[in-house]
Amino acid sequence: MQNKNIKNKVIQGSIYLTIRQILASACSLVSALLIARILGPKNYGIVTTALGIFYFWKWSGRFGVNTYLVRKPNLSENEAQQVLCFYIVAGIAFCSLCWLAAPLFGWWTGEVEVGQLLQWLAPAVWLDMIGSVPASMQERELRFKQVGLIDAIAQIANYLLSIAVVLIYQNYWGVVAGTILQFIIFASLSFWFYPMSWRWQWDWQNLKPAIQYGSTYYVAILLTSMKYLTIPLFVSRLAGIEAAGIANMATRIIQQLSLLRAVVKRMSLSVIAKLVDDPNATRNAISRGMTYQALLMGTISVTFACCASWLIPTVFGEKWILSAEIFPLLGLAAVVESIFDLHSSALYAAGFNQAVAMFNLGYLVVLWLGCIVLIPNFGLWGYVSAELLALPRYYWLDKLLNKLCNSPNYWNVLWIVIASIPPLVAGIFLPPLINFAILTVSYGLLFGLNGNMRKIIVELWSVFRSKEKKIV
C-alpha cells in the first residue's frame, strides 16, 4: 500500500513538474529570442557570463544541507528549523563575500560590467538559501504540485520583467532585475506554502549531522556546478566575451530542449532513495530510465540539430550562425551525459558522495585542461572538443555503480547513440532537408532492426493511453 501511494504521488508529481517545465521553457525560449536579438552576442555574453557565475554561487551557497532535509529517514521539525537558522546567518556572510569578490570576475573576464552585475545579484543567493528549506520539506513530502507551481510562477515573473525592461531600455539590466524578482517570489511562496519560524541561535547537536552530510555532498555538487563556470571563466577569458555569448546561446538551447530530462533527474533523487536497498530494483530502474533519457534527449537533440543551421540565424540573426554550427556536437555530449543521470542519483542516494566527488573532479580536470590547450588554437571549436574529450570519464561512474548493484544494460542506449551520430554530424555541414532524410534513415534502422526499441515505444504508448483513459 505504501509503495502504491508513493507511485501515485510520483505520477502526479511528474505531471505537475512536466507542465511547469514546459511553461518555463516556453517562456525562456521567448525570452532568449528577444533578449539575444536586442543585445547581440557581446552584451548577451556579458549578462550570461554574470548569470553563470551567479548560479554557481547559488548552488554553492546551499552547501548541500538542504539535500539532508530530503533524504534523512526520520527528520525532526527542530532539525529543519536549525538548517533554516544556519542558512539565515551563514547566508548573510556568504553573500557578503560574494559581493566583495564580484569585481575580481570583472577583471578576469575583461569586462567591468560583469562584476557590477554580480554585485546586484549577490543578495538573491541569500533568498535562494532560505527559500530552499521549505521547498526541500515539500519535496520530502512528495508535494511536487506545490514545488512545480512555485518554480513556474517565479520563473515566469522573471521572464516577463526581463523582456519588458530589455525592450524598453535596450540593455541587459532587465535580465538582472528579472532574476532578482524570481528569487524574491521563490522564497516568499516557499514560506507561504510551508510556514516555518525564523531562529537566530544554532543548536549544534541538531545542526551537526546536517552539516556533516551536506559537506561531503557539497563537494560533489560543487565540482558538478563548477562545470558551468567553463564558459564564464575559460571561454570568455580565452576566446572573448562575444564567443562566450555564442557558446551560452547553444548551451541555453540544449538546456531548454532537456526539459523532461530535468524533471526525471530532479524526481529521481527522491524516488531512487526509496529503492536503493534493493540492488535488483535499482539496476532495473536505472536500465529502463537511462534508455528513456537517451531516447528522449537523442530524438530532441537530433531533430533540432537537423534544422539548426537554418533556424538559429532566422530566429536570432546572422550573428549567431556559429551557435548553430557548434550545437550538434554539444547535443551529442548532452545525450551521453543524460545516460548517466540516474547513475549519479543512485550513488548519491546510497551515500557514495565522496566517490562521486572524485569522478566529478576527474571530469572537470579533463574538461578544463582541454579548454586551456584547445581554445587558444581553435576558438569555440576547441571548447566543443574539450566537452567531447571529457565524456570517456563516465566509464568511471559505471565502475562506481557496480559497488551498489550490477552494471545496467547499455545495449539499448548504445544503439540510440549510434543512430544519433549521423544526423548530428550532418547538421554541421548539410542543409536541413538532407539532414532530415539522414535522420529518417538512421532512426528507421534503429527501430526496424532493434526489437527492444520497438517494445519500448509500445510500452510508452500503452502507459500514455492508460493515463489518458484515467483522465477522461
Side-chain angles (χ1 to χ4, degrees):
M1 183 64 69
Q2 182 180 2
N3 290 337
K4 185 177 181 180
N5 186 42
I6 291 173
K7 180 180 179 181
N8 290 335
K9 288 185 177 181
V10 169
I11 291 174
Q12 293 174 2
S14 66
I15 294 173
Y16 290 121
L17 286 181
T18 300
I19 293 173
R20 167 257 171 186
Q21 198 75 19
I22 290 173
L23 290 174
S25 295
C27 293
S28 179
L29 284 174
V30 173
S31 172
L33 165 61
L34 294 174
I35 292 173
R37 284 190 69 95
I38 293 172
L39 297 183
K42 181 177 180 179
N43 286 332
Y44 187 79
I46 290 173
V47 71
T48 53
T49 295
L51 286 175
I53 297 168
F54 162 74
Y55 280 109
F56 171 72
W57 286 352
K58 181 183 83 73
W59 291 319
S60 299
R62 295 188 178 189
F63 200 64
V65 179
N66 64 303
T67 308
Y68 176 83
L69 300 178
V70 178
R71 299 180 184 172
K72 178 70 161 41
N74 298 307
L75 185 75
S76 68
E77 185 66 26
N78 191 46
E79 286 180 293
Q81 292 287 353
Q82 282 300 307
V83 171
L84 176 59
C85 175
F86 172 74
Y87 276 161
I88 292 173
V89 178
I92 294 174
F94 180 74
C95 292
S96 298
L97 290 175
C98 290
W99 189 89
L100 292 173
L104 295 177
F105 292 99
W107 165 78
W108 175 263
T109 60
E111 299 290 340
V112 177
E113 293 89 342
V114 171
Q116 295 172 346
L117 296 180
L118 284 170
Q119 288 185 320
W120 280 94
L121 288 168
V125 176
W126 183 76
L127 293 172
D128 176 75
M129 291 173 69
I130 62 172
S132 68
V133 178
S136 297
M137 295 302 292
Q138 292 174 73
E139 286 197 27
R140 176 184 179 83
E141 298 175 4
L142 303 181
R143 290 158 59 177
F144 295 114
K145 177 181 178 180
Q146 293 179 0
V147 173
L149 179 63
I150 292 170
D151 286 345
I153 293 174
Q155 289 193 27
I156 291 173
N158 175 359
Y159 300 138
L160 291 177
L161 181 60
S162 298
I163 292 171
V165 176
V166 169
L167 285 175
I168 295 172
Y169 295 101
Q170 305 284 302
N171 62 45
Y172 41 63
W173 286 101
V175 181
V176 175
T179 303
I180 295 173
L181 177 63
Q182 174 182 340
F183 288 97
I184 292 174
I185 293 175
F186 167 73
S188 301
L189 290 181
S190 294
F191 281 101
W192 175 269
F193 282 107
Y194 197 98
M196 298 181 68
S197 59
W198 286 33
R199 300 176 185 176
W200 295 90
Q201 186 174 0
W202 292 359
D203 179 1
W204 184 245
Q205 184 176 357
N206 284 302
L207 186 58
K208 183 179 178 180
I211 293 180
Q212 287 178 335
Y213 179 92
S215 61
T216 56
Y217 180 76
Y218 168 76
V219 174
I221 290 299
L222 174 65
L223 293 170
T224 301
S225 301
M226 288 177 72
K227 178 188 175 182
Y228 297 98
L229 291 176
T230 303
I231 295 176
L233 296 186
F234 289 91
V235 176
S236 65
R237 175 79 175 186
L238 300 173
I241 201 70
E242 184 171 327
I246 291 172
N248 269 316
M249 175 55 66
T251 56
R252 174 73 174 271
I253 293 172
I254 290 174
Q255 289 170 2
Q256 298 310 313
L257 294 176
S258 306
L259 70 159
L260 296 181
R261 174 193 172 189
V263 171
V264 174
K265 186 176 181 179
R266 181 172 184 173
M267 295 182 62
S268 65
L269 286 173
S270 300
V271 176
I272 291 183
K274 303 180 186 302
L275 302 175
V276 73
D277 292 331
D278 186 343
N280 288 330
T282 302
R283 178 183 182 276
N284 291 335
I286 293 174
S287 297
R288 189 173 296 273
M290 70 182 186
T291 301
Y292 295 156
Q293 288 279 61
L295 183 60
L296 178 70
M297 278 302 302
T299 304
I300 294 174
S301 297
V302 167
T303 302
F304 190 88
C306 287
C307 61
S309 60
W310 166 80
L311 186 61
I312 289 180
T314 301
V315 174
F316 295 98
E318 290 296 330
K319 295 180 180 180
W320 298 95
I321 186 64
L322 189 52
S323 291
E325 294 175 354
I326 66 175
F327 174 87
L329 294 182
L330 292 177
L332 175 61
V335 173
V336 175
E337 289 171 0
S338 70
I339 295 171
F340 296 92
D341 282 346
L342 298 185
H343 292 57
S344 299
S345 296
L347 290 168
Y348 282 141
F352 287 79
N353 294 349
Q354 292 182 346
V356 177
M358 292 304 298
F359 159 77
N360 290 331
L361 177 61
Y363 180 89
L364 200 64
V365 169
V366 174
L367 176 63
W368 284 4
L369 283 178
C371 287
I372 293 172
V373 173
L374 297 174
I375 291 178
N377 296 307
F378 302 102
L380 280 180
W381 290 106
Y383 161 65
V384 174
S385 300
E387 289 277 5
L388 295 177
L389 288 173
L391 293 180
R393 282 289 304 171
Y394 279 103
Y395 173 75
W396 177 251
L397 202 61
D398 175 73
K399 303 299 289 184
L400 290 176
L401 188 66
N402 282 326
K403 298 179 181 180
L404 177 63
C405 61
N406 292 329
S407 183
N409 188 343
Y410 287 98
W411 280 109
N412 287 333
V413 297
L414 176 61
W415 287 114
I416 293 171
V417 172
I418 291 174
S420 300
I421 290 176
L424 281 172
V425 175
I428 303 174
F429 306 103
L430 302 176
L433 288 178
I434 298 178
N435 295 337
F436 279 111
I438 295 174
L439 167 61
T440 302
V441 173
S442 185
Y443 269 62
L445 291 173
L446 171 66
F447 292 106
L449 300 178
N450 192 322
N452 289 331
M453 296 306 303
R454 293 195 299 272
K455 290 179 182 178
I456 290 173
I457 295 299
V458 172
E459 178 182 310
L460 290 174
W461 177 252
S462 299
V463 172
F464 172 77
R465 292 294 297 171
S466 64
K467 296 293 178 267
E468 187 180 60
K469 288 179 181 179
K470 288 182 180 181
I471 294 174
V472 174

